[in-house]
Amino acid sequence: MNSKILVTGGTGYIGSHTVVELQTAGYEVIVVDDLSNSNIDVLDNIEQISGKKPAFEQFSLADAAKTDDFFNRHRDIAAIIHFAASKAVGESVQLPLHYYRNNLVSLLNILDCQVKYGISNIVFSSSCTVYGQPDKLPVTETTPRKDAESPYGNTKRVNEDILQDAVRAYPQLKGIALRYFNPIGAHPSALIGELPLGIPQNLVPFITQTAAGLRSELLVFGDDYDTPDGSAIRDYINVVDLAKAHLVAIERLLQNQNKTGYEVFNLGTGNGYSVLEIVKGFEKVTGLKLNYRIVERRAGDIEKIWADTTFANQELGWKAEKGLEETLLSAWNWEKRVRGIR
Ligand code: UD1
């Protein structure tokens, strides 16, 4: 069986963890990344963990000619996991055209090449952002999607539609969209993790950078939500658990178990935690005191969301295994290694 997997965005946060899982399971991986938000050194760290450095090419999949040339040279790719995308919610409001061009055109270019070169299988990185603030919790895959709150969120929604329509039109195509809840943490080796450029927008990197002394305080956005402690609730999932779900999705596609052609899965833990619970949990596992202050709500934030993971449990046989404390500790160990803290 041909087992060469293309991972776009494979030097990024979720991508690098997924490359490790694929290689550990025996797959041959080729990474394409434009390195706009990641570092080439990640490949060496992937090698340290999994014993193998993946093949690598640097270009943007939004470039149609380069993408075509790549697939023309790699006709033996069995499946694609498409992570490569711009992902900062706030930035997408400032630079909507960049977000639409980069995120939509790259998927279109890939799908064009799949049809042209006969590559059937693709796994697409989607997000729970497509649900907006759901009317009912937890959310299942059939919970109606809502209008996106940002251009970034809209690119996820539109890309899901593009994939679904392409699968309908070309029976040889098979696609799985994975809707991630909030990925956090790092590989237990602390060799790979999330390294945001500039000031982190996401909660856990902001917490670990504050604890490391890079930021003076964490701002907790809102304590007047309709939740037990007033802060907003999310479903935080360990990035290694998330990466493992990609391996299962790839195997489902390669073994032709995806009967409808296009499928969607929620990837979360099924548990919701508030911002303040995350802060307290971090303080507990690290023994550190975090400097934080409660401020106004952040524009565009929803109040609460967590996943119903029944479909992924049943169909993929996948379930998040790591607990919150272990995950927060892995995030801290990663931050410590990156900053040289003992
Ligand atoms: C957002 C996107 C999600 C995207 C993810 C990655 C939405 C609804 N969600 O998730 O699709 O994949 O970013 O970029 O668009 N918080 C603080 N202080 C901080 C940072 C965050 O209190 O300094 C709070 C937020 O208000 C929120 C929670 O922590 O309640 C999680 O925030 P964040 O990590 O940014 O993720 P989301 O906004 O849930």
Side-chain angles (χ1 to χ4, degrees):
M1 190 185 71
N2 175 14
S3 62
K4 186 165 165 183
I5 313 293
L6 165 63
V7 180
T8 79
T11 51
Y13 175 43
I14 308 172
S16 57
H17 288 81
T18 302
V19 172
V20 164
E21 295 304 322
L22 289 166
Q23 291 198 150
T24 305
Y27 288 96
E28 181 188 345
V29 175
I30 181 160
V31 169
V32 169
D33 202 302
D34 65 0
L35 300 179
S36 59
N37 193 24
S38 60
N39 196 303
I40 187 84
D41 300 342
V42 168
L43 298 175
D44 295 328
N45 294 354
I46 289 173
E47 183 179 13
Q48 272 200 57
I49 300 170
S50 61
K52 208 177 157 205
K53 194 163 172 167
F56 175 75
E57 293 196 24
Q58 180 180 355
F59 66 91
S60 167
L61 294 136
D63 183 323
K66 286 184 181 158
T67 304
D68 186 273
D69 172 66
F70 172 84
F71 281 103
N72 189 23
R73 289 182 288 109
H74 297 279
R75 294 183 183 221
D76 57 343
I77 287 171
I80 300 158
I81 308 183
H82 181 40
F83 291 106
S86 303
K87 63 166 188 178
V89 177
E91 183 186 58
S92 79
V93 179
Q94 308 302 322
L95 302 173
L97 303 183
H98 170 75
Y99 270 70
Y100 285 114
R101 187 175 304 107
N102 198 35
N103 293 3
L104 302 186
V105 173
S106 58
L107 180 65
L108 291 170
N109 287 342
I110 290 169
L111 289 167
D112 271 340
C113 290
Q114 286 189 256
V115 173
K116 182 169 170 187
Y117 297 108
I119 300 167
S120 296
N121 303 311
I122 180 163
V123 174
F124 172 67
S125 294
S126 190
S127 167
C128 72
T129 195
V130 300
Y131 296 116
Q133 176 60 65
D135 299 326
K136 224 178 110 212
L137 288 165
V139 286
T140 71
E141 289 77 357
T142 54
T143 296
R145 297 181 309 173
K146 293 203 168 160
D147 286 347
E149 294 277 347
S150 68
Y152 157 79
N154 207 28
T155 67
K156 292 297 176 192
R157 184 189 164 110
V158 174
N159 268 339
E160 283 190 356
D161 293 342
I162 290 172
L163 182 55
Q164 181 168 27
D165 289 343
V167 166
R168 269 199 201 121
Y170 305 100
Q172 71 273 31
L173 285 184
K174 306 260 182 223
I176 293 181
L178 300 176
R179 290 179 180 155
Y180 313 147
F181 282 67
N182 287 53
I184 61 166
H187 193 268
S189 65
L191 286 166
I192 52 173
E194 184 173 15
L195 200 55
L197 283 185
I199 302 171
Q201 306 301 309
N202 296 116
L203 178 62
V204 171
F206 207 104
I207 289 177
T208 56
Q209 288 200 8
T210 305
L214 276 82
R215 315 275 153 214
S216 60
E217 60 177 358
L218 167 76
L219 302 180
V220 171
F221 299 133
D223 70 346
D224 57 352
Y225 285 109
D226 182 18
T227 60
D229 66 20
S231 63
I233 293 179
R234 299 286 184 275
D235 184 337
Y236 295 91
I237 174 164
N238 185 293
V239 68
V240 175
D241 279 337
L242 192 64
K244 287 183 174 156
H246 291 77
L247 177 63
V248 181
I250 281 293
E251 292 185 334
R252 183 175 179 87
L253 287 170
L254 294 180
Q255 290 162 16
N256 223 356
Q257 291 163 338
N258 161 318
K259 299 296 176 221
T260 54
Y262 174 73
E263 292 178 320
V264 176
F265 293 99
N266 282 345
L267 299 182
T269 65
N271 302 310
Y273 288 100
S274 73
V275 176
L276 290 171
E277 283 176 316
I278 297 294
V279 170
K280 299 269 148 40
F282 182 82
E283 289 184 329
K284 184 176 166 217
V285 291
T286 60
L288 299 168
K289 193 93 202 80
L290 202 69
N291 192 21
Y292 72 89
R293 182 159 56 99
I294 290 162
V295 295
E296 291 294 290
R297 294 181 181 191
R298 182 171 71 178
D301 269 349
I302 58 159
E303 183 165 85
K304 51 189 164 192
I305 189 164
W306 59 93
D308 182 322
T309 61
T310 310
F311 190 53
N313 299 164
Q314 285 176 351
E315 286 296 313
L316 298 178
W318 171 90
K319 193 159 160 284
E321 282 165 2
K322 293 176 187 287
L324 182 67
E325 294 192 353
E326 174 185 359
T327 301
L328 290 172
L329 195 57
S330 73
W332 177 231
N333 287 337
W334 157 252
E335 187 75 53
K336 282 202 296 187
R337 192 189 71 78
V338 170
R339 309 296 166 198
I341 300 170
R342 293 188 162 269

